[in-house]
Amino acid sequence: MNTFSLEAQQTGFSLFGQVQDEDGSGLMATISIHELGKGTLADLDGNFTFKNLRPGSYHLHITHVGYKSENKNIFIQEGDSEVKITLKESAIQLESLTIEANPFKNGPLEQSQTILVLDRDYLERNNGGTFANALEKLPGISTINTGVGIAKPVIRGMSFNRIMINDRGIKQEGQQWGADHGLEIDPFDVDRVEVVKGPSSLLYGSDGMAGVINISPPAFKQNDEIEASFTSMYRSNNDMFSNSIAIEGNEGDIIFGGRFTMQDFADYRVPANQFNYAGFILPINNNRLKNTAGRERHFSTMAGVKKDWGYSTLTVSKFDQEAGIFAGAVGVPNSYNLRHDGDFRNIDIPKQSNQHLKVLWNNSILINGNWVELDFGYQKNERREFSRPHTQEVGPDNPFGNLALALTLDVFTANARINKTHGQKGQSIIGFNSQFSSNEQSGFEFLLPNFQSFQGGLFYFREYKFSPNLILNGGLRLDGAYHDIQEHLQPIFERLRPTGETDQRNPDIQKEFFNGSASTGLSWVFSDNFNLKFNLGSAYRIPTPIELSSNGVHHGNFRHEVGNANLERERSYQSDINLAYSSKRFLISLSPFFGYYDGYIYLSPAARFSPLPGSSIIWEYRQNNAIFTGGELMSTFSPFKGFSINFGAEYVYNKNLDTGLPLPLTPPFSALTGIEYKLPEVARLLDNLYFFAEVRHAEDQNRVDRNERSTPGYTLLEAGLGGDIKIAKQEVKFQLSGQNLTNEVYFNHLSRYRLLNLPEQGRNISFSLKVPIAVRNKN
């Protein structure tokens, strides 16, 4: 450490404070400084102290059980500072948590957009085997499923490249453009999630049109703390066994963590013994969908330093999944290849293999009183599909064997942000995002060509506080992009012999894009209990190389997809309103939205069949003007301590303004009603015992595009209980729950298996255990 750093540490300033309730009594609250990862516990009188702070702006998080959490901006200049914080009692866990992904690191009160925050407890209780499935109970969020283990989120009826997934500040880049491609994220390695609804291109760039899902790392452990945990889960429907072990700690200024996860699952069960496909009645043996088993192995490791100037961490992770593909996804199935092979855990051909490597370097540095955030990332996504060659496409000297399709995507990302505080009048931020991608394809089939793509953008965002209860914000952004897509010539075979001729699946394509976007909004607390948010934004999306140039059978989607080299940029003009009322025992929030889309890009079924083997009709990328509107309703009522009633509802209406028809794959109206009761301590061995029950109802979806089938509605029942078991001094968390308890036969309108007339999973009983182990506590 150099002389300057030692001097800064010795001459640092202190922050003194007190946390109290509305009656003035002290609270033993937990207080942490976000930027430094430092935390402390207030004493019996609510007093706390932080020492050796450099001049600059800091954000305090203040939490205490039974009270609304708070956050506060603190400015350390040329002397010690003192702060007094009052927490309001609340029976509803409506936490005013700091929004980590928000560049200003303040709470949802200051935000003009609707942001939902999920902590680790919520994610663990709703772990459905994939990261996306843990989110689908939120109003406005649904999922596209392909069997088990593959799911991706939908926000307000939009998905794929209109939703951005940010993992530790870096945009997740894989094969998210396909419904049969899940998000390559370990569901156990997610500590906190923030879902931003509405246009988010201003801060995040292209693909943030419908919203952003931000994954934040866990808070740093305090000095000399080391904690480990073991989590195990079983799901009965597909006999899934999941085991995950993690460790994290802090040795002086060195912070570290690691996790390893294993998931193995068998063919999953459906409440049917046959299905109808292309006019054929085909069997489902033992109610199990053959060749839907899978295996997953994931690991991550993190190390870094935490100093008085901020922190720097390096994270390396690897997602590894192998999963079978139902035979009907590759060609027309028959009774023979649907026959039980004697092993429900066998992964046979056709199958897919997915690996995703990430190396992330995150930095937060205090320079001249301002915080500079630097994020760098490298990702390597490898997707391989295996199937037996079609004789119409490949000759006897096929060099690829059973490798039907291989896609290798390398992505380099660099982001920077500078946050400046303007006293008590707000904050501003200037930043840029940049990304370079390179894709290489292989295999005896063709879907996507080789391409290189570069995107970069610069933005400015300003928050202005007219008063503590009225906050305005606004910003501007400029972006540019360049796609270089290479021509692909597919050899033509006849009677297993090459003809010497080729089929041009796509030409050389070079396209440049330049976009500007803007956003403004306000948050107004016009009484003690009411909060009005309004956001108006213009977002954009650059056509992806997939939309411009794909031309092949996408087996997991059961269709031949054809790109359109003439696509232009997609532009939206969106408005969001959120009106919330909250009191000690009641919360209700209404969030209507409206958006006009100029040049909306989508896949639509055409009225002609594909000439390629293993496919049915052609789906083409098209571009039309469209509107999206709808809203979400969320409410919680706690009539007495420990008991709450929850209700959430969502509706999306869209329309293609050129055809007058709905857009394809629009989620139906749905509502989720639930109750939860936290029991008082019933025995010395049991603590925090809770019971819950939920009913999900989805209406018929008859508003469909041309050549798209409608889907009947359904009602599902889920219930469970959980709590903590104390064995000697060791705490063990458990949960027992059941999904689709009535074994309902239903179809998810967004599921690709609906196209095969295959229902969703039947009854599923889940049991999970988590054992936290304090290896070493803080002295």
Side-chain angles (χ1 to χ4, degrees):
M1 185 176 293
N2 58 38
T3 304
F4 174 79
S5 298
L6 281 171
E7 181 180 357
Q9 186 175 7
Q10 293 168 357
T11 60
F13 303 110
S14 296
L15 171 66
F16 304 95
Q18 184 185 38
V19 183
Q20 60 186 19
D21 62 16
E22 293 178 281
D23 296 327
S25 300
L27 295 175
M28 294 181 65
T30 299
I31 306 98
S32 61
I33 298 179
H34 169 81
E35 290 83 359
L36 301 179
K38 286 186 176 181
T40 188
L41 184 67
D43 62 20
L44 289 171
D45 297 321
N47 298 312
F48 65 91
T49 303
F50 287 101
K51 297 181 179 180
N52 297 322
L53 298 179
R54 292 188 176 192
S57 62
Y58 300 90
H59 302 86
L60 296 186
H61 305 192
I62 307 97
T63 60
H64 189 62
V65 176
Y67 291 81
K68 289 184 180 180
S69 298
E70 291 290 344
N71 65 86
K72 194 170 186 67
N73 294 339
I74 300 297
F75 308 100
I76 303 295
Q77 296 178 343
E78 296 300 326
D80 296 340
S81 296
E82 187 173 359
V83 64
K84 184 170 290 186
I85 300 155
T86 301
L87 299 184
K88 294 182 179 180
E89 188 177 359
S90 177
I92 301 172
Q93 295 304 307
L94 176 63
E95 310 285 4
S96 298
L97 295 172
T98 293
I99 306 300
E100 308 284 350
N102 163 51
F104 299 133
K105 303 298 184 294
N106 47 24
L109 173 64
E110 290 85 357
Q111 303 303 300
S112 60
Q113 287 185 289
T114 303
I115 302 180
L116 303 176
V117 182
L118 308 178
D119 60 13
R120 179 176 286 277
D121 287 341
Y122 178 93
L123 296 168
E124 288 177 345
R125 286 179 55 177
N126 295 280
N127 188 339
T130 70
F131 166 67
N133 287 130
L135 308 179
E136 59 184 343
K137 290 185 179 180
L138 300 175
I141 310 295
S142 47
T143 58
I144 294 176
N145 298 302
T146 302
V148 176
I150 298 174
K152 55 172 30 75
V154 178
I155 299 179
R156 292 176 171 174
M158 288 183 279
S159 186
F160 308 115
N161 287 81
R162 290 185 182 86
I163 294 178
M164 186 178 293
I165 311 295
N166 278 333
D167 186 5
R168 293 166 172 84
I170 296 295
K171 176 186 174 186
Q172 177 90 3
E173 279 288 2
Q175 313 296 341
Q176 63 262 40
W177 41 268
D180 60 329
H181 309 155
L183 297 176
E184 295 90 355
I185 294 174
D186 179 0
F188 292 90
D189 196 28
V190 178
D191 186 80
R192 174 184 167 105
V193 175
E194 296 160 4
V195 181
V196 184
K197 298 180 183 178
S200 304
S201 295
L202 177 66
L203 294 177
Y204 302 102
S206 180
D207 293 5
M209 180 167 282
V212 174
I213 297 176
N214 290 296
I215 301 172
S216 300
F220 300 141
K221 292 297 178 184
Q222 299 307 302
N223 289 343
D224 300 321
E225 281 187 324
I226 300 178
E227 184 176 282
S229 67
F230 172 73
T231 305
S232 184
M233 183 177 70
Y234 171 74
R235 294 173 67 84
S236 65
N237 182 275
N238 61 339
D239 297 317
M240 172 186 278
F241 290 94
S242 304
N243 295 285
S244 185
I245 186 168
I247 187 169
E248 51 188 344
N250 186 338
E251 286 279 358
D253 291 329
I254 304 300
I255 49 181
F256 59 89
R259 178 178 292 275
F260 178 70
T261 298
M262 302 171 59
Q263 290 200 130
D264 294 272
F265 50 92
D267 298 339
Y268 73 90
R269 297 175 175 89
V270 294
N273 53 30
Q274 64 181 30
F275 68 105
N276 185 323
Y277 180 67
F280 297 94
I281 302 297
L282 299 168
I284 302 177
N285 290 291
N286 297 351
N287 299 107
R288 287 186 182 257
L289 210 56
K290 184 183 177 183
N291 203 37
T292 55
R295 177 197 65 84
E296 298 180 9
R297 302 289 184 267
H298 318 311
F299 86 87
S300 67
T301 182
M302 179 276 291
V305 294
K306 178 168 69 74
K307 298 280 190 177
D308 57 352
W309 48 259
Y311 65 84
S312 178
T313 63
L314 182 68
T315 304
V316 179
S317 65
K318 180 71 177 293
F319 178 98
D320 192 329
Q321 178 192 64
E322 184 179 16
I325 300 176
F326 178 60
V330 181
V332 178
N334 55 55
S335 298
Y336 174 77
N337 59 20
L338 292 175
R339 186 179 302 165
H340 178 41
D341 57 10
D343 186 357
F344 291 122
R345 293 188 173 275
N346 180 43
I347 303 175
D348 199 1
I349 291 176
K351 66 180 181 179
Q352 59 177 306
S353 174
N354 305 301
Q355 288 83 38
H356 192 95
L357 172 68
K358 279 188 292 195
V359 181
L360 309 179
W361 183 26
N362 303 111
N363 304 271
S364 182
I365 306 169
L366 182 62
I367 301 177
N368 295 328
N370 302 316
W371 287 98
V372 178
E373 295 180 313
L374 303 171
D375 299 317
F376 303 94
Y378 167 71
Q379 301 174 72
K380 188 179 190 67
N381 184 279
E382 297 179 278
R383 173 179 174 82
R384 293 184 292 272
E385 294 182 3
F386 299 88
S387 66
R388 293 180 176 84
H390 302 289
T391 57
Q392 301 97 317
E393 289 186 330
V394 183
D397 56 347
N398 165 36
F400 301 108
N402 289 325
L403 179 62
L405 184 66
L407 301 173
T408 301
L409 181 66
D410 292 282
V411 182
F412 299 86
T413 307
N415 303 326
R417 297 169 297 279
I418 302 174
N419 188 320
K420 182 176 178 59
T421 301
H422 302 278
Q424 299 295 333
K425 290 299 182 181
Q427 306 168 73
S428 64
I429 185 170
I430 185 169
F432 78 87
N433 314 102
S434 61
Q435 176 180 297
F436 173 77
S437 306
S438 178
N439 180 75
E440 292 185 2
Q441 67 86 31
S442 183
F444 61 78
E445 291 187 348
F446 174 78
L447 178 62
L448 304 175
N450 297 338
F451 65 80
Q452 290 77 45
S453 176
F454 175 80
Q455 301 180 36
L458 178 70
F459 68 90
Y460 176 80
F461 195 62
R462 178 73 160 91
E463 174 195 77
Y464 187 85
K465 292 187 177 182
F466 278 93
S467 71
N469 294 331
L470 180 59
I471 300 98
L472 274 69
N473 63 56
L476 297 170
R477 181 183 179 101
L478 294 175
D479 272 272
Y482 176 73
H483 293 325
D484 182 11
I485 303 171
Q486 283 85 60
E487 177 190 42
H488 182 82
L489 302 175
Q490 186 77 355
I492 297 176
F493 291 83
E494 184 176 329
R495 297 181 180 179
L496 302 182
R497 295 182 179 276
T499 63
E501 298 179 355
T502 58
D503 176 20
Q504 186 192 56
R505 292 293 181 88
N506 69 274
D508 282 323
I509 302 173
Q510 287 83 35
K511 300 205 73 168
E512 296 179 354
F513 300 90
F514 184 78
N515 293 277
S517 59
S519 176
T520 187
L522 65 84
S523 177
W524 179 30
V525 180
F526 55 89
S527 77
D528 289 340
N529 298 324
F530 285 94
N531 180 208
L532 174 67
K533 299 176 185 292
F534 174 73
N535 193 79
L536 182 65
S538 171
Y540 70 93
R541 191 173 72 84
I542 297 166
T544 65
I546 295 90
E547 294 166 330
L548 293 168
S549 60
S550 62
N551 188 357
V553 180
H554 199 166
H555 291 299
N557 290 346
F558 319 117
R559 62 197 183 196
H560 178 179
E561 298 178 358
V562 178
N564 183 348
N566 297 317
L567 295 176
E568 298 297 332
R569 65 98 180 99
E570 185 178 289
R571 166 73 66 186
S572 73
Y573 304 91
Q574 298 168 258
S575 63
D576 293 85
I577 298 175
N578 178 263
L579 179 61
Y581 170 84
S582 63
S583 63
K584 182 178 178 180
R585 298 195 177 277
F586 182 64
L587 160 72
I588 186 168
S589 173
L590 180 65
S591 305
F593 64 89
F594 176 83
Y596 169 78
Y597 292 80
D598 180 14
Y600 185 84
I601 301 170
Y602 66 102
L603 263 174
S604 181
R608 64 185 190 276
F609 284 92
S610 167
L612 301 180
S615 182
S616 55
I617 63 175
I618 289 178
W619 285 59
E620 298 173 322
Y621 280 102
R622 298 176 181 174
Q623 193 163 29
N624 296 107
N625 296 334
I627 59 170
F628 274 77
T629 188
E632 300 97 37
L633 175 67
M634 181 176 66
S635 66
T636 300
F637 176 51
S638 179
F640 55 88
K641 184 177 181 179
F643 182 77
S644 61
I645 303 171
N646 305 294
F647 177 78
E650 59 194 15
Y651 177 68
V652 175
Y653 175 93
N654 57 38
K655 186 177 182 179
N656 184 324
L657 296 179
D658 295 317
T659 66
L661 296 171
L663 290 164
L665 301 174
T666 302
F669 170 83
S670 69
L672 181 67
T673 306
I675 60 171
E676 181 174 338
Y677 180 49
K678 297 179 180 178
L679 284 72
E681 187 172 348
V682 294
R684 301 183 67 179
L685 295 179
L686 288 175
D687 195 15
N688 299 323
L689 194 63
Y690 62 87
F691 167 81
F692 71 93
E694 297 175 340
V695 176
R696 161 79 71 182
H697 177 72
E699 287 290 327
D700 299 345
Q701 182 53 290
N702 297 317
R703 297 194 70 255
V704 293
D705 193 10
R706 186 179 292 116
N707 302 316
E708 183 187 19
R709 296 198 327 235
S710 60
T711 304
Y714 55 87
T715 300
L716 303 177
L717 174 64
E718 178 176 349
L721 58 89
D724 302 336
I725 303 175
K726 295 180 180 179
I727 304 174
K729 295 184 179 181
Q730 180 61 57
E731 178 184 87
V732 178
K733 298 178 179 292
F734 77 94
Q735 176 171 293
L736 175 66
S737 62
Q739 297 79 40
N740 192 8
L741 288 172
T742 60
N743 211 31
E744 173 90 355
V745 178
Y746 74 101
F747 297 87
N748 181 348
H749 187 72
L750 304 183
S751 172
R752 298 307 181 186
Y753 281 178
R754 177 181 65 93
L755 302 178
L756 298 178
N757 290 316
L758 287 169
E760 296 298 301
Q761 291 184 63
R763 184 182 297 110
N764 198 357
I765 306 300
S766 302
F767 180 70
S768 65
L769 288 173
K770 181 179 181 181
V771 184
I773 304 169
V775 179
R776 189 170 68 202
N777 290 318
K778 182 179 178 182
N779 294 329

